[in-house]
Amino acid sequence: MKRSNNIYLKIMPLLCLLISVGILFMMPNTTMHVYASSMGSSSIADIDPNRPSTGDREHQTNINEPGSADNAEALQELNIANNLTVTYENSNGTIAGPIRILMTLTFIALAPMLIISMTCFIRIVVVLHFTRTALNTQTVPPNQVIIALALFLTFFIMAPTFTRINEEAIKPLDRGELTQAEAFQVGMEPLREFMYGQTQIKDVRLFLEISDADWDGTLAGIPNSVLIPSFMISELRTAFIIGFLIYIPFIIIDMVVASTLMSMGMMMLPPTTISMPFKILLFILADGWNLIIGSLVKTFY
C-alpha cells in the first residue's frame, strides 16, 4: 500500500505537466497588439494604415497638459493620456499629488507630538502620574491606562476647539474656498486662543526676551515659536502645583504611620508597606478618581 502511494505521487506531477502542454498547443495561434495614440503631427493611421488606431490628432485623449489648470473646475476637466497623475478633487492645482501625500504622511507622523504640545494632554498625564506615585501603587494603574484616559480627556476638553478647526479650516479647504496656507493660518487660530488662555504672561515674556522680540500685548503679536513653549511651561507648572496638593493628604498618612511604627520600636518595617492600604482606603472613601478628574477638567473652563 505504501509503495502504490509513492508511485501515485510521482505520476501526478507528470500528468499535470502533460495536460498543461496539451492545453497550450490546442490554443489558437493569435497575436495581440497594443498601440498608443500618437502625440505628433500625424495620426497612427497615417504612419501605418494596417495598424489599429486608438485615436488621431484631432480626437486625442490628451485634453490639457499637466499644470495648465488655473482653478478647481479646470482641474476636474484635466485628462492626461499616457501619464499617471494623482489629483485631489476640488483642489485648485497649487500642490502636486505626490507632495500632498508627503505632507499628509508628515502630518500623521507629527500628530502625536502636536497633541502632546498644543493641547491639555500635558497637564492631565502629569497629574495622573502624580496621583499614582502618591498612592504608592507602583504600576497600578498601568501606563497604558493612564495614557488612554489622558487621551480621551484631551479629546473631551478640546472638542469645541477641534469643532471650530473643522468648520473654519478643513471644510472650506475641501470645498476649495481656502488655499493650504490660508487653511493652516485659520486652523491655528482656535488652538492659539486655547493655548493663550492657559499660558501665563511671564512665560511669554521670557521667550520674547530670549528672542529679543517686541510684544504689543495681544495674541496676534505672539508667534507660534514663542506661544507653544510658553504654553508647555505653564502647563507643567500648573500640573506640578496640582500634584503637590494631591500629595499632601498622603504624606500625612505616611508621617502618622512612620511615627507609630517608631513608637512601637518597629524600626525595620518599611512605613510604606503599612501606609499603602490606608492610602487606598482614603482614596476610595473620598471617591478620589471622581474628585481628581472632575477638578482637573474644570481647570480648563
Side-chain angles (χ1 to χ4, degrees):
M1 187 66 180
K2 183 177 180 181
R3 183 177 179 182
S4 62
N5 290 336
N6 293 334
I7 296 174
Y8 177 76
L9 293 175
K10 293 180 180 179
I11 292 176
M12 282 302 298
L14 181 60
L15 290 177
C16 294
L17 178 62
L18 292 176
I19 292 173
S20 301
V21 173
I23 293 174
L24 292 176
F25 275 106
M26 287 188 293
M27 292 180 62
N29 187 15
T30 58
T31 305
M32 181 176 63
H33 301 278
V34 179
Y35 301 99
S37 61
S38 174
M39 300 299 292
S41 59
S42 59
S43 64
I44 294 178
D46 297 335
I47 300 175
D48 188 356
N50 296 324
R51 287 186 180 181
S53 176
T54 60
D56 51 23
R57 182 64 178 173
E58 288 76 14
H59 301 88
Q60 61 178 339
T61 57
N62 185 7
I63 299 176
N64 293 319
E65 292 296 331
S68 60
D70 296 329
N71 48 48
E73 290 75 13
L75 183 65
Q76 291 179 353
E77 297 177 358
L78 189 65
N79 185 14
I80 303 299
N82 306 325
N83 288 285
L84 176 62
T85 59
V86 179
T87 59
Y88 181 78
E89 178 150 6
N90 295 331
S91 181
N92 54 8
T94 57
I95 296 182
I99 299 179
R100 186 184 297 274
I101 295 174
L102 178 62
M103 293 174 59
T104 302
L105 295 176
T106 304
F107 175 77
I108 293 174
L110 295 177
M113 184 190 68
L114 296 178
I115 293 176
I116 292 174
S117 60
M118 301 173 64
T119 64
C120 56
F121 181 84
I122 297 176
R123 185 187 305 183
I124 296 173
V125 74
V126 171
V127 170
L128 292 179
H129 275 283
F130 268 119
T131 302
R132 185 178 68 179
T133 306
L135 285 171
N136 196 28
T137 54
Q138 303 299 327
T139 58
V140 180
N143 290 331
Q144 294 86 345
V145 175
I146 290 179
I147 297 300
L149 179 59
L151 281 174
F152 278 104
L153 290 177
T154 300
F155 293 146
F156 174 78
I157 296 171
M158 300 296 296
T161 303
F162 291 156
T163 302
R164 284 189 55 192
I165 294 174
N166 183 51
E167 295 293 334
E168 299 177 5
I170 297 178
K171 287 184 178 180
L173 174 64
D174 186 64
R175 293 192 297 264
E177 300 175 359
L178 297 175
T179 63
Q180 286 80 12
E182 293 173 345
F184 175 78
Q185 185 176 3
V186 173
M188 279 296 298
E189 285 303 316
L191 282 175
R192 286 172 55 86
E193 292 178 6
F194 171 80
M195 290 188 291
Y196 184 72
Q198 305 297 328
T199 305
Q200 298 187 13
I201 301 299
K202 61 180 179 180
D203 295 326
V204 177
R205 295 188 183 277
L206 170 65
F207 286 96
L208 288 173
E209 292 176 0
I210 295 174
S211 60
D212 195 17
D214 296 329
W215 183 37
D216 55 1
T218 61
L219 174 60
I222 306 176
N224 292 329
S225 59
V226 171
L227 181 59
I228 294 175
S230 303
F231 168 74
M232 295 179 69
I233 290 180
S234 298
E235 287 293 284
L236 288 174
R237 180 186 295 107
T238 305
F240 272 70
I241 293 173
I242 297 175
F244 172 75
L245 297 176
I246 292 173
Y247 252 100
I248 292 177
F250 299 109
I251 290 177
I252 295 175
I253 294 178
D254 286 333
M255 293 175 63
V256 171
V257 171
S259 61
T260 302
L261 292 176
M262 290 183 63
S263 62
M264 296 174 62
M266 304 175 66
M267 303 292 184
M268 303 302 296
L269 184 62
T272 55
T273 304
I274 306 299
S275 63
M276 186 177 68
F278 292 99
K279 291 180 181 179
I280 297 176
L281 178 62
L282 175 64
F283 198 73
I284 294 172
L285 293 177
D287 196 5
W289 288 116
N290 184 284
L291 183 62
I292 290 176
I293 298 300
S295 302
L296 183 60
V297 171
K298 290 178 182 178
T299 58
F300 293 96
Y301 293 95

